[in-house]
PDB file of all heavy atoms in Angstrom:
ATOM      1  N   ARG A 235     194.671 203.528 260.327  1.00 70.00           N
ATOM      2  CA  ARG A 235     193.989 203.637 261.618  1.00 70.00           C
ATOM      3  C   ARG A 235     194.299 204.968 262.294  1.00 70.00           C
ATOM      4  O   ARG A 235     193.486 205.544 262.971  1.00 70.00           O
ATOM      5  CB  ARG A 235     194.454 202.476 262.516  1.00 70.00           C
ATOM      6  CG  ARG A 235     193.734 202.351 263.828  1.00 70.00           C
ATOM      7  CD  ARG A 235     194.327 201.224 264.668  1.00 70.00           C
ATOM      8  NE  ARG A 235     195.631 201.546 265.204  1.00 70.00           N
ATOM      9  CZ  ARG A 235     195.837 202.226 266.327  1.00 70.00           C
ATOM     10  NH1 ARG A 235     194.815 202.644 267.038  1.00 70.00           N
ATOM     11  NH2 ARG A 235     197.059 202.476 266.757  1.00 70.00           N
ATOM     12  N   ARG A 236     195.539 205.443 262.109  1.00 75.00           N
ATOM     13  CA  ARG A 236     195.949 206.698 262.738  1.00 75.00           C
ATOM     14  C   ARG A 236     195.938 207.818 261.705  1.00 75.00           C
ATOM     15  O   ARG A 236     195.829 207.570 260.510  1.00 75.00           O
ATOM     16  CB  ARG A 236     197.353 206.558 263.317  1.00 75.00           C
ATOM     17  CG  ARG A 236     197.410 205.601 264.498  1.00 75.00           C
ATOM     18  CD  ARG A 236     198.832 205.455 265.001  1.00 75.00           C
ATOM     19  NE  ARG A 236     198.875 204.652 266.205  1.00 75.00           N
ATOM     20  CZ  ARG A 236     199.876 203.852 266.529  1.00 75.00           C
ATOM     21  NH1 ARG A 236     200.924 203.739 265.732  1.00 75.00           N
ATOM     22  NH2 ARG A 236     199.852 203.174 267.650  1.00 75.00           N
ATOM     23  N   LEU A 335     192.803 196.824 277.099  1.00 98.00           N
ATOM     24  CA  LEU A 335     192.034 198.053 277.338  1.00 98.00           C
ATOM     25  C   LEU A 335     191.800 198.778 276.018  1.00 98.00           C
ATOM     26  O   LEU A 335     192.747 198.994 275.250  1.00 98.00           O
ATOM     27  CB  LEU A 335     192.800 198.990 278.290  1.00 98.00           C
ATOM     28  CG  LEU A 335     192.987 198.493 279.718  1.00 98.00           C
ATOM     29  CD1 LEU A 335     193.875 199.455 280.498  1.00 98.00           C
ATOM     30  CD2 LEU A 335     191.627 198.360 280.409  1.00 98.00           C
ATOM     31  N   ASP A 336     190.552 199.162 275.767  1.00 97.00           N
ATOM     32  CA  ASP A 336     190.282 199.928 274.550  1.00 97.00           C
ATOM     33  C   ASP A 336     190.769 201.367 274.734  1.00 97.00           C
ATOM     34  O   ASP A 336     191.200 201.764 275.810  1.00 97.00           O
ATOM     35  CB  ASP A 336     188.788 199.867 274.190  1.00 97.00           C
ATOM     36  CG  ASP A 336     187.903 200.430 275.289  1.00 97.00           C
ATOM     37  OD1 ASP A 336     188.427 201.107 276.205  1.00 97.00           O
ATOM     38  OD2 ASP A 336     186.677 200.195 275.248  1.00 97.00           O
ATOM     39  N   GLU A 337     190.667 202.134 273.628  1.00 95.00           N
ATOM     40  CA  GLU A 337     191.162 203.513 273.652  1.00 95.00           C
ATOM     41  C   GLU A 337     190.573 204.324 274.789  1.00 95.00           C
ATOM     42  O   GLU A 337     191.276 205.056 275.477  1.00 95.00           O
ATOM     43  CB  GLU A 337     190.761 204.205 272.336  1.00 95.00           C
ATOM     44  CG  GLU A 337     191.857 204.301 271.351  1.00 95.00           C
ATOM     45  CD  GLU A 337     191.430 205.114 270.129  1.00 95.00           C
ATOM     46  OE1 GLU A 337     190.262 205.543 270.031  1.00 95.00           O
ATOM     47  OE2 GLU A 337     192.286 205.289 269.284  1.00 95.00           O
ATOM     48  N   ARG A 340     192.203 203.455 278.012  1.00 98.00           N
ATOM     49  CA  ARG A 340     193.618 203.887 278.047  1.00 98.00           C
ATOM     50  C   ARG A 340     193.701 205.399 278.292  1.00 98.00           C
ATOM     51  O   ARG A 340     194.535 205.862 279.072  1.00 98.00           O
ATOM     52  CB  ARG A 340     194.331 203.525 276.738  1.00 98.00           C
ATOM     53  CG  ARG A 340     194.454 202.036 276.501  1.00 98.00           C
ATOM     54  CD  ARG A 340     195.553 201.697 275.512  1.00 98.00           C
ATOM     55  NE  ARG A 340     195.396 202.298 274.205  1.00 98.00           N
ATOM     56  CZ  ARG A 340     194.654 201.775 273.217  1.00 98.00           C
ATOM     57  NH1 ARG A 340     193.990 200.641 273.404  1.00 98.00           N
ATOM     58  NH2 ARG A 340     194.585 202.367 272.046  1.00 98.00           N
ATOM     59  N   HIS A 352     200.063 203.279 276.173  1.00 96.00           N
ATOM     60  CA  HIS A 352     199.997 202.660 274.849  1.00 96.00           C
ATOM     61  C   HIS A 352     199.513 201.213 274.956  1.00 96.00           C
ATOM     62  O   HIS A 352     199.747 200.553 275.970  1.00 96.00           O
ATOM     63  CB  HIS A 352     201.387 202.664 274.189  1.00 96.00           C
ATOM     64  CG  HIS A 352     201.933 204.049 273.962  1.00 96.00           C
ATOM     65  ND1 HIS A 352     203.247 204.290 273.641  1.00 96.00           N
ATOM     66  CD2 HIS A 352     201.339 205.264 274.012  1.00 96.00           C
ATOM     67  CE1 HIS A 352     203.440 205.600 273.507  1.00 96.00           C
ATOM     68  NE2 HIS A 352     202.293 206.204 273.732  1.00 96.00           N
ATOM     69  N   ASP A 353     198.873 200.783 273.867  1.00 96.00           N
ATOM     70  CA  ASP A 353     198.431 199.386 273.801  1.00 96.00           C
ATOM     71  C   ASP A 353     199.585 198.533 273.300  1.00 96.00           C
ATOM     72  O   ASP A 353     200.245 198.886 272.316  1.00 96.00           O
ATOM     73  CB  ASP A 353     197.248 199.294 272.827  1.00 96.00           C
ATOM     74  CG  ASP A 353     196.637 197.904 272.811  1.00 96.00           C
ATOM     75  OD1 ASP A 353     197.363 196.917 272.543  1.00 96.00           O
ATOM     76  OD2 ASP A 353     195.435 197.799 273.069  1.00 96.00           O
ATOM     77  N   VAL A 354     199.797 197.397 273.950  1.00 96.00           N
ATOM     78  CA  VAL A 354     200.930 196.541 273.586  1.00 96.00           C
ATOM     79  C   VAL A 354     200.846 196.062 272.134  1.00 96.00           C
ATOM     80  O   VAL A 354     201.867 195.813 271.489  1.00 96.00           O
ATOM     81  CB  VAL A 354     201.048 195.361 274.589  1.00 96.00           C
ATOM     82  CG1 VAL A 354     199.894 194.372 274.423  1.00 96.00           C
ATOM     83  CG2 VAL A 354     202.391 194.664 274.470  1.00 96.00           C
ATOM     84  N   THR A 355     199.633 195.961 271.590  1.00 93.00           N
ATOM     85  CA  THR A 355     199.484 195.457 270.214  1.00 93.00           C
ATOM     86  C   THR A 355     199.584 196.559 269.158  1.00 93.00           C
ATOM     87  O   THR A 355     199.535 196.292 267.965  1.00 93.00           O
ATOM     88  CB  THR A 355     198.127 194.746 270.019  1.00 93.00           C
ATOM     89  OG1 THR A 355     197.086 195.717 270.192  1.00 93.00           O
ATOM     90  CG2 THR A 355     197.948 193.617 271.000  1.00 93.00           C
ATOM     91  N   LYS A 356     199.672 197.828 269.595  1.00 87.00           N
ATOM     92  CA  LYS A 356     199.732 198.937 268.618  1.00 87.00           C
ATOM     93  C   LYS A 356     200.924 199.823 268.941  1.00 87.00           C
ATOM     94  O   LYS A 356     200.781 200.937 269.449  1.00 87.00           O
ATOM     95  CB  LYS A 356     198.445 199.768 268.672  1.00 87.00           C
ATOM     96  CG  LYS A 356     197.192 198.960 268.385  1.00 87.00           C
ATOM     97  CD  LYS A 356     195.953 199.825 268.416  1.00 87.00           C
ATOM     98  CE  LYS A 356     194.708 198.999 268.169  1.00 87.00           C
ATOM     99  NZ  LYS A 356     194.306 198.183 269.337  1.00 87.00           N
ATOM    100  N   PRO A 357     202.122 199.329 268.659  1.00 77.00           N
ATOM    101  CA  PRO A 357     203.321 200.056 269.078  1.00 77.00           C
ATOM    102  C   PRO A 357     203.438 201.427 268.428  1.00 77.00           C
ATOM    103  O   PRO A 357     203.058 201.616 267.282  1.00 77.00           O
ATOM    104  CB  PRO A 357     204.471 199.145 268.630  1.00 77.00           C
ATOM    105  CG  PRO A 357     203.879 198.207 267.649  1.00 77.00           C
ATOM    106  CD  PRO A 357     202.421 198.096 267.942  1.00 77.00           C
ATOM    107  N   HIS A 358     203.970 202.378 269.214  1.00 76.00           N
ATOM    108  CA  HIS A 358     204.274 203.715 268.694  1.00 76.00           C
ATOM    109  C   HIS A 358     205.734 203.704 268.278  1.00 76.00           C
ATOM    110  O   HIS A 358     206.617 203.489 269.102  1.00 76.00           O
ATOM    111  CB  HIS A 358     204.074 204.779 269.785  1.00 76.00           C
ATOM    112  CG  HIS A 358     202.637 205.056 270.074  1.00 76.00           C
ATOM    113  ND1 HIS A 358     202.144 206.332 270.208  1.00 76.00           N
ATOM    114  CD2 HIS A 358     201.590 204.228 270.247  1.00 76.00           C
ATOM    115  CE1 HIS A 358     200.846 206.271 270.460  1.00 76.00           C
ATOM    116  NE2 HIS A 358     200.496 205.007 270.496  1.00 76.00           N
ATOM    117  N   HIS A 359     205.994 203.950 267.001  1.00 71.00           N
ATOM    118  CA  HIS A 359     207.380 203.918 266.543  1.00 71.00           C
ATOM    119  C   HIS A 359     208.075 205.231 266.869  1.00 71.00           C
ATOM    120  O   HIS A 359     207.487 206.298 266.699  1.00 71.00           O
ATOM    121  CB  HIS A 359     207.436 203.632 265.042  1.00 71.00           C
ATOM    122  CG  HIS A 359     206.838 202.296 264.691  1.00 71.00           C
ATOM    123  ND1 HIS A 359     207.355 201.118 265.187  1.00 71.00           N
ATOM    124  CD2 HIS A 359     205.771 201.954 263.953  1.00 71.00           C
ATOM    125  CE1 HIS A 359     206.624 200.106 264.743  1.00 71.00           C
ATOM    126  NE2 HIS A 359     205.656 200.593 264.000  1.00 71.00           N
ATOM    127  N   GLU A 376     211.152 198.993 267.912  1.00 42.00           N
ATOM    128  CA  GLU A 376     210.380 199.693 268.945  1.00 42.00           C
ATOM    129  C   GLU A 376     211.275 200.074 270.116  1.00 42.00           C
ATOM    130  O   GLU A 376     212.069 199.287 270.590  1.00 42.00           O
ATOM    131  CB  GLU A 376     209.254 198.764 269.417  1.00 42.00           C
ATOM    132  CG  GLU A 376     208.412 199.300 270.526  1.00 42.00           C
ATOM    133  CD  GLU A 376     207.779 200.633 270.158  1.00 42.00           C
ATOM    134  OE1 GLU A 376     207.453 200.860 268.990  1.00 42.00           O
ATOM    135  OE2 GLU A 376     207.652 201.451 271.068  1.00 42.00           O
TER     136      GLU A 376
END
Side-chain angles (χ1 to χ4, degrees):
R235 186 183 72 84
R236 292 178 174 147
L335 294 174
D336 60 14
E337 259 185 357
R340 295 201 301 275
H352 298 167
D353 186 303
V354 70
T355 64
K356 301 181 182 75
H358 286 225
H359 299 299
E376 177 57 33

